[in-house]
């Protein structure tokens, strides 16, 4: 039996972590090549991430929210749409993130594109998408995902896996494949309107490129600044 003080491979993990580092050799990101808006720049990088970025889910992003007292929480969600109006994801409005965003709309989105030595960080405010937009997206979801949105009171404690499966089975019996599933009133989109968008490109010797767009106060254009790595 293992005793305190025994040295195992598992104990060695923290030491290995300290020496784990990659040397980034990627091409840099310079001011002249940046697009005029962060949306165009995001579109360029997203296309690269989605085609040859070596990423399993390039649209997976870490959404960080904070409650009314400023206590943060994070989770991964999928980006489902972006354009000049902002970045959209869908979730349960009664979930922790949903409740936090209703109380405090300030939010951060982080795209961890590690295989490309890139990350994009969007900071801004979130507001609910309109019901028509939500319904249009809901209709594109597979039947099973539509039922899942009804079956789960996201973020609340569930008694058991069986309880969850039973809730799903009940819904599947009520709405068989081919039958239209109504859009749950507690479910929908958030659109994040950016105030800043930072594009981070890993470079050699930790001298990374960080170019950050900030929206002008009057809504007229973007300022770009280089941040120290
Ligand atoms: C790759 C990935 C994608 C996810 N996409 C979503 C999503 O689009 N919407 C969502 O509500 N939860 C998504 N989740 C689940 C969330 O991470 C989280 O568990 C859930 O939204 C509850 O978060 P909350 O309790 O902090 O509100 C995803 C998780 C992973 C790992």
């Amino acid at each position: 039996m293992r005793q305190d003080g025994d040295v195992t491979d598992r104990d060695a993990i923290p030491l290995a972590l300290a020496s784990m580092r990659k040397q980034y050799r990627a091409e840099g990101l310079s001011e002249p090549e940046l697009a005029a808006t962060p949306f165009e720049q995001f579109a360029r990088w997203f296309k690269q991430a989605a085609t040859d970025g070596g990423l399993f889910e390039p649209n997976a992003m870490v959404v960080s929210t904070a409650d009314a007292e400023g206590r943060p929480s994070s989770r991964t969600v999928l980006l489902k749409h972006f354009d000049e109006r902002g970045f959209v994801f869908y979730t349960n409005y009664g979930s922790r993130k949903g409740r936090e965003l209703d109380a405090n709309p300030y939010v951060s989105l982080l795209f961890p594109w590690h295989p490309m030595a890139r990350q994009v960080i969007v900071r801004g405010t979130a507001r609910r998408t309109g019901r028509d937009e939500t319904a249009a997206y809901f209709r594109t979801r597979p039947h099973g995902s539509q039922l899942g949105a009804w079956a789960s009171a996201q973020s609340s404690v569930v008694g058991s896996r069986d309880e969850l499966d039973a809730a799903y089975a009940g819904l599947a019996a009520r709405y068989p494949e081919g039958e239209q599933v109504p859009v749950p009133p507690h479910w929908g989109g958030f659109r994040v309107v950016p105030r800043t968008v930072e594009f981070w490109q890993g470079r050699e010797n930790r001298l990374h490129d960080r170019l950050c767009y900030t929206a002008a106060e009057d809504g007229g254009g973007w300022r770009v600044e280089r941040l120290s790595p």
Side-chain angles (χ1 to χ4, degrees):
M1 178 184 280
R2 185 171 175 260
Q3 294 185 324
D4 280 356
D6 285 358
V7 175
T8 66
D9 284 350
R10 281 166 58 165
D11 294 318
I13 286 172
L15 292 176
L17 273 180
S19 60
M20 266 185 198
R21 61 177 65 85
K22 294 265 188 219
Q23 184 64 266
Y24 303 138
R25 292 174 213 285
E27 290 289 299
L29 179 66
S30 67
E31 287 81 348
E33 70 191 273
L34 271 190
T37 72
F39 305 108
E40 286 169 57
Q41 185 60 36
F42 185 84
R44 283 182 196 169
W45 270 26
F46 187 78
K47 195 169 173 197
Q48 291 167 5
T51 49
D52 48 18
L55 288 144
F56 180 59
E57 285 185 301
N59 59 331
M61 58 187 185
V62 177
V63 176
S64 298
T65 53
D67 65 16
E69 282 76 46
R71 290 174 295 210
S73 65
S74 301
R75 78 288 294 154
T76 307
V77 307
L78 296 179
L79 177 73
K80 286 293 166 181
H81 184 75
F82 72 90
D83 59 24
E84 302 273 322
R85 293 171 301 160
F87 298 81
V88 177
F89 65 91
Y90 289 89
T91 193
N92 186 311
Y93 288 138
S95 66
R96 173 191 290 274
K97 78 183 92 45
R99 284 180 279 114
E100 290 189 354
L101 286 173
D102 285 340
N104 172 3
Y106 292 97
V107 61
S108 151
L109 311 176
L110 185 149
F111 294 85
W113 292 335
H114 302 169
M116 309 175 78
R118 284 180 178 174
Q119 75 180 343
V120 178
I121 302 173
V122 176
R123 290 165 66 235
T125 48
R127 54 168 169 261
R128 292 184 180 197
T129 55
R131 289 315 282 172
D132 288 353
E133 187 175 355
T134 288
Y137 169 67
F138 189 76
R139 297 271 156 261
T140 69
R141 286 165 62 97
H143 185 73
S145 305
Q146 294 184 356
L147 296 179
W150 275 105
S152 161
Q154 196 177 59
S155 313
S156 66
V157 175
V158 59
S160 65
R161 176 76 214 191
D162 285 350
E163 208 179 284
L164 197 57
D165 290 339
Y168 184 90
L171 285 155
R174 189 164 161 199
Y175 301 105
E177 188 81 48
E179 189 126 333
Q180 196 173 49
V181 181
V183 184
H186 57 263
W187 187 93
F190 280 106
R191 171 170 279 106
V192 175
V193 178
R195 166 102 178 98
T196 68
V197 186
E198 176 190 333
F199 293 85
W200 186 98
Q201 173 69 67
R203 301 287 302 273
E204 272 182 309
N205 304 319
R206 280 10 191 193
L207 294 180
H208 316 301
D209 289 322
R210 299 180 64 190
L211 293 175
C212 186
Y213 293 81
T214 301
E217 292 292 347
D218 59 6
W222 297 88
R223 181 177 82 236
V224 174
E225 289 163 315
R226 177 175 285 269
L227 303 179
S228 182

